Amino acid sequence: MNRRTRLGLIALLAMAAGGGPARAQFSGSYAPPTWTLIQNNSNGTVNTSGAPGSIVITAPGLVGNVNGGTITYSNTARLTGIYKFNWNFTNTQNNDDDLPQFVINDNAINFSQYVLGSGLFSQSGAETYSLSRGDTFGFRIDDVDNDSFVGILTISNFLYPVLYSSALQPYADIQSVSLDAIKNQRELILSQAGDCKQRGWLIGPEGSRTCLFVSGAYASGNINGSVSLGSYNSGNTSSAYGVEWKPGEQWAIGAAYGYGTANLSDFNFQGSSAQINSNINSINAYGVYQPDKNWKIAAITGYSNFSHSGYRTFLGDTAKANFSSTGYTAALQASYEFRLRQDSKPSSSLNPIRIRPLVNLAWAGNDQAGFTETGNTFLLNVNGQASNSLIATAGTAIELPIALNKARTTVLTPRAGLAYQYDMLANSTSNRTISATAVDVPSLSLTETGQNRGSNTLYLDFGADLQINRNFGLYADVNYQAFSNGNELGYRGGLRANF
């Protein structure tokens, strides 16, 4: 089986299985204005008033012109695949001088079910042909002797492959991946905002109000598909290189530069596969207010720039894409620390059981720029799209500092956290869709919905801080998120040092 036939059968089987939107009849990229009427020694006509259901080609003949002639209604195959149609051919004289034909790249093929010499005034049937993208094809009447008798060819139920809407889904899905990367970066910085003395690098004499911090994180997610939406995997690395300054005991302000990556992979759906990789540069600034030793109120704002590079394949052909997006975020967070049992030594800062309820309201926006694909398949002009999230969080964390030596200079502090998050914008259609037009046929437009994480998320966090001595320490977390349409596993950590 050759490549053309194999790809055509794949397209046909996908359509038969309901795997994607096949288009029937003379509509969309094969609407009548896209066709060309070619007359060769003929005065024939094409009647498209029955479109999109059918078209009628008439060859009345040039009386007395024994050289014959042809009338061809021609177009170009947009995609590799199977092209099917029904036909009815009537001749006002029961001769076989007028022949209905299908033309592929100027090669005329008599209809396989048309019987020469049948003596019938009217015949009908169905034809199936395999075409490659770029092939010229058409319906033709060959008027052999150009006599006065009329040949009438009616074409109906014209079925052809179209670009499955799944080809657009990865460009909608990457919006969700980008919003999640913005969220992870924001949470990485908020997790230590105001706590630089406990998790950062103190430089200078004791009591210095300035410190630096470096931390990193990684998360990998699995997003489930559905009957109409493809599944995929996501990955995100985040880093933060920041500085924090305390102008007073109750206030802290800080800023951090972040570099990270994000990717969408393992998308395979309805004949399409895709992968998109992203590089991320971000800037975040925050402020913290602690009116007493229990309350902590933090606000953060941030900007991110994404550089995306990816590809998709459709029935073996590849389209490439390079595009960008811009992310924004702002959040407000408040927590309160309960100390259930004070340490027996009043001078010690160890409080064996600490519980911190937390609430957070965070917004993120991602403006994805439009772009044009390149490659050797049916290419798309993808329109720009803006997506947003508005997440409310309520949770609590518990930690238990454990002294590992008598001097209490080595301390292990295990902790656990549980939170519920609700994205109020996750189900908004505008945040999940993307649209495009075909490069070859600008009048053909597609709109597709992607799969995001959904509205509901249960967030579990387990971690520990290890103070090795008064000058050095480590901290690390493992978090698991179970959301409406999948799950994500993440890690983050950093180093504390006094110089």
Side-chain angles (χ1 to χ4, degrees):
M1 183 181 293
N2 62 35
R3 181 175 181 270
R4 175 185 296 181
T5 304
R6 182 174 68 253
L7 294 178
L9 287 175
I10 291 173
L12 179 61
L13 291 172
M15 290 185 287
R23 179 158 291 158
Q25 308 185 38
F26 295 89
S27 59
S29 56
Y30 293 101
T34 68
W35 294 76
T36 301
L37 176 61
I38 302 173
Q39 304 263 24
N40 179 23
N41 200 29
S42 172
N43 61 347
T45 60
V46 177
N47 186 342
T48 61
S49 62
S54 63
I55 56 102
V56 179
I57 304 172
T58 301
L62 293 173
V63 178
N65 189 333
V66 296
N67 294 323
T70 61
I71 176 174
T72 307
Y73 201 45
S74 177
N75 213 317
T76 301
R78 309 290 192 266
L79 289 174
T80 296
I82 295 295
Y83 292 69
K84 303 175 66 176
F85 57 91
N86 295 340
W87 60 269
N88 178 272
F89 186 68
T90 300
N91 195 306
T92 55
Q93 184 185 39
N94 61 337
N95 60 36
D96 301 307
D97 291 338
D98 293 344
L99 302 176
Q101 298 175 329
F102 190 73
V103 181
I104 303 176
N105 297 327
D106 294 326
N107 296 313
I109 305 168
N110 291 340
F111 288 175
S112 62
Q113 295 177 319
Y114 183 72
V115 181
L116 292 169
S118 65
L120 298 174
F121 286 98
S122 179
Q123 297 186 49
S124 61
E127 298 290 315
T128 300
Y129 296 93
S130 177
L131 299 178
S132 293
R133 179 177 179 267
D135 281 349
T136 298
F137 71 95
F139 310 107
R140 173 180 290 178
I141 296 178
D142 185 356
D143 194 349
V144 176
D145 58 7
N146 256 328
D147 58 21
S148 61
F149 298 101
V150 179
I152 302 172
L153 174 62
T154 301
I155 304 295
S156 61
N157 295 322
F158 178 44
L159 180 67
Y160 53 89
V162 298
L163 181 68
Y164 298 137
S165 59
S166 59
L168 258 183
Q169 283 189 24
Y171 300 134
D173 296 335
I174 195 65
Q175 297 177 97
S176 177
V177 175
S178 299
L179 286 174
D180 188 59
I182 295 170
K183 174 178 178 283
N184 291 340
Q185 183 72 17
R186 180 181 65 234
E187 291 179 348
L188 175 65
I189 296 173
L190 274 178
S191 68
Q192 60 181 33
D195 295 330
C196 196
K197 286 187 176 181
Q198 289 73 42
R199 291 191 167 187
W201 301 356
L202 296 175
I203 300 175
E206 187 174 350
S208 173
R209 294 181 178 271
T210 303
C211 80
L212 308 176
F213 61 89
V214 176
S215 57
Y218 174 75
S220 60
N222 301 290
I223 290 76
N224 301 326
S226 66
V227 174
S228 59
L229 297 174
S231 63
Y232 59 92
N233 294 331
S234 66
N236 172 226
T237 60
S238 306
S239 62
Y241 308 88
V243 58
E244 183 175 289
W245 176 60
K246 291 181 70 69
E249 290 300 318
Q250 295 179 315
W251 293 91
I253 56 176
Y257 163 75
Y259 174 77
T261 62
N263 66 75
L264 180 153
S265 60
D266 298 320
F267 178 92
N268 292 283
F269 188 61
Q270 294 181 350
S272 294
S273 62
Q275 180 167 320
I276 301 174
N277 299 313
S278 311
N279 293 319
I280 313 166
N281 290 278
S282 63
I283 294 289
N284 288 268
Y286 64 85
V288 178
Y289 174 59
Q290 295 178 279
D292 56 41
K293 65 181 181 180
N294 302 110
W295 280 102
K296 178 181 176 182
I297 302 170
I300 187 172
T301 185
Y303 166 88
S304 300
N305 178 265
F306 292 78
S307 178
H308 307 284
S309 177
Y311 67 88
R312 64 172 179 84
T313 62
F314 181 71
L315 299 179
D317 292 327
T318 300
K320 297 180 180 180
N322 292 284
F323 56 103
S324 63
S325 63
T326 303
Y328 308 90
T329 189
L332 184 64
Q333 179 173 288
S335 62
Y336 186 88
E337 182 176 275
F338 293 96
R339 304 182 184 189
L340 297 187
R341 182 166 63 87
Q342 190 72 23
D343 192 272
S344 59
K345 292 186 178 182
S347 62
S348 172
S349 62
L350 296 181
N351 297 285
I353 300 177
R354 304 172 187 171
I355 298 178
R356 292 192 181 97
L358 174 148
V359 292
N360 179 296
L361 183 64
W363 166 82
N366 179 62
D367 292 336
Q368 188 167 294
F371 59 93
T372 299
E373 296 179 317
T374 60
N376 61 351
T377 186
F378 193 79
L379 302 176
L380 298 171
N381 290 311
V382 181
N383 299 323
Q385 180 68 30
S387 56
N388 295 271
S389 67
L390 183 61
I391 300 174
T393 301
T396 188
I398 184 171
E399 61 182 37
L400 176 64
I402 302 171
L404 300 182
N405 62 358
K406 290 183 178 181
R408 301 194 175 197
T409 56
T410 303
V411 179
L412 176 66
T413 305
R415 60 181 174 275
L418 173 66
Y420 170 72
Q421 298 179 328
Y422 182 75
D423 187 345
M424 291 173 267
L425 303 180
N427 292 327
S428 172
T429 301
S430 62
N431 289 323
R432 301 175 56 208
T433 58
I434 199 156
S435 60
T437 58
V439 172
D440 291 343
V441 190
S443 62
L444 174 61
S445 62
L446 301 170
T447 299
E448 179 60 8
T449 299
Q451 182 72 302
N452 63 11
R453 285 155 170 73
S455 296
N456 302 284
T457 299
L458 182 65
Y459 189 101
L460 301 174
D461 181 84
F462 301 94
D465 288 12
L466 176 60
Q467 177 182 302
I468 300 172
N469 54 44
R470 287 188 172 89
N471 294 321
F472 295 98
L474 302 170
Y475 58 92
D477 293 83
V478 177
N479 58 76
Y480 175 79
Q481 300 180 54
F483 35 80
S484 301
N485 299 322
N487 58 79
E488 184 173 279
L489 182 65
Y491 314 88
R492 62 187 177 203
L495 169 70
R496 180 185 70 84
N498 292 342
F499 297 98

